[in-house]
Amino acid sequence: MKQHIKQLLLSACTFFLLCNTHSVLADTASDTETLLNWAEKTYPTIFPSHQATQNIEPWLYRYYPESGIYAGVNKNDNSVYVLGGPWGDNPTVIDTLASLINEIDNSGGSGGIAACDTANALTGVTYSQSGNVVTVTTNGHCVAAPDLTNTNLCEVPQQTTASGISLLSSNTITASSIAGISTSIPGLPNPFQAIVDAAANVKHCTMNAPTETANLVVNSDLCLDITTAITGAIGSLPIDGIVITPPVNYFTKGTYTSQSVPDCFETDATTISDALTGEVWINQGGGFVKVGS
């Protein structure tokens, strides 16, 4: 009888371990699919086509023939590796699978987070949030920014009810440089970096802002390919002595902060918007003029 009970317990334990092992492997496979699908969407220049996941123990991986890059997960250590292209002939560890999945989950699974409307975010820009701090990055890659008027990193989501919260936000550039554009006139500084930096360092006030954007801090580390925008701008202006050597890349790091204010119209904001009604005002000569809704 004791032997029978012992055998029954061993069988039950074995079944339990097998089921849990299968569950872990299933989670690994599912998370690998999530990660690689997200990578293809987020970094199309590196992973330019959708590929099927292959399984050769202990690897779950995809191969991208256009770029010669392998990306996958080693099931022995549950870490994510890449090989080929800029990573060379030796497998390079990126991070653990769990850590990357957590980052994707925190970004809404598709680059979005609660505090920011990222529906129009540039392809290749990723978002993550911890507390009131949002991190926006291109992960060391340069992403196309064909329209410099549409580079708001954290648009306030449209609201359906009045919150009564007014937030004054400002962006401070802490480091920036432009590569691929220069002047052929000795002593003439590059005018475009000052223009781009000035455009990024504006203040904006939001009326009826959502609660989750109060005291928000957004740290950015970006590389933007502005070749199309700059080429178009120069082509429409009578400027001599400007030399473009594509790609024109704008590297920028900055911190965006916001603070509660009693009245947006009593601030020095450049623009004001109402997150509830969609109305917009611009500062002209110290007074605000409505320009849209």
Side-chain angles (χ1 to χ4, degrees):
M1 182 65 176
K2 289 183 179 179
Q3 185 64 28
H4 177 73
I5 294 175
K6 181 180 179 181
Q7 186 62 40
L8 183 61
L9 289 173
L10 286 174
S11 298
C13 289
T14 301
F15 176 77
F16 177 81
L17 290 171
L18 285 173
C19 287
N20 277 272
T21 300
H22 175 75
S23 176
V24 169
L25 293 176
D27 288 344
T28 299
S30 176
D31 286 348
T32 299
E33 291 297 300
T34 298
L35 173 68
L36 296 179
N37 288 340
W38 172 85
E40 289 175 359
K41 177 183 178 182
T42 308
Y43 304 109
T45 58
I46 302 175
F47 312 111
S49 60
H50 177 66
Q51 299 293 326
T53 302
Q54 302 181 56
N55 186 358
I56 298 179
E57 293 297 329
W59 297 96
L60 291 169
Y61 71 96
R62 293 181 188 178
Y63 173 63
Y64 299 88
E66 303 93 333
S67 55
I69 292 174
Y70 292 82
V73 173
N74 186 310
K75 289 183 283 186
N76 288 340
D77 63 4
N78 265 7
S79 291
V80 178
Y81 293 77
V82 289
L83 180 148
W87 290 280
D89 297 328
N90 295 316
T92 301
V93 178
I94 300 299
D95 205 339
T96 64
L97 178 60
S99 177
L100 291 175
I101 289 297
N102 184 61
E103 182 176 333
I104 294 172
D105 288 342
N106 287 339
S107 69
S110 59
I113 57 175
C116 305
D117 180 359
T118 59
N120 297 317
L122 297 171
T123 300
V125 175
T126 60
Y127 293 74
S128 59
Q129 183 171 1
S130 177
N132 71 319
V133 179
V134 174
T135 300
V136 187
T137 178
T138 56
N139 295 298
H141 302 286
C142 293
V143 304
D147 182 3
L148 292 181
T149 65
N150 185 31
T151 56
N152 190 337
L153 297 177
C154 188
E155 294 185 10
V156 175
Q158 182 72 37
Q159 300 302 291
T160 57
T161 58
S163 68
I165 299 173
S166 294
L167 295 178
L168 179 64
S169 305
S170 61
N171 188 50
T172 302
I173 299 296
T174 57
S176 70
S177 64
I178 292 182
I181 185 169
S182 59
T183 61
S184 60
I185 302 175
L188 179 66
N190 187 335
F192 291 96
Q193 182 164 336
I195 293 172
V196 175
D197 285 349
N201 280 322
V202 298
K203 291 183 179 181
H204 177 75
C205 196
T206 303
M207 300 163 56
N208 289 312
T211 304
E212 59 265 24
T213 60
N215 301 313
L216 190 68
V217 176
V218 181
N219 294 320
S220 60
D221 185 356
L222 308 169
C223 176
L224 305 178
D225 183 341
I226 59 174
T227 306
T228 300
I230 288 295
T231 302
I234 291 178
S236 63
L237 297 174
I239 301 177
D240 295 324
I242 302 298
V243 179
I244 295 180
T245 309
V248 181
N249 291 329
Y250 176 53
F251 301 87
T252 175
K253 293 182 179 181
T255 299
Y256 163 103
T257 58
S258 59
Q259 59 180 348
S260 297
V261 294
D263 185 352
C264 282
F265 292 97
E266 297 297 325
T267 68
D268 60 346
T270 303
T271 55
I272 296 174
S273 65
D274 190 322
L276 176 64
T277 65
E279 295 172 294
V280 177
W281 296 261
I282 60 172
N283 191 329
Q284 292 185 348
F288 290 96
V289 178
K290 185 177 178 180
V291 294
S293 59

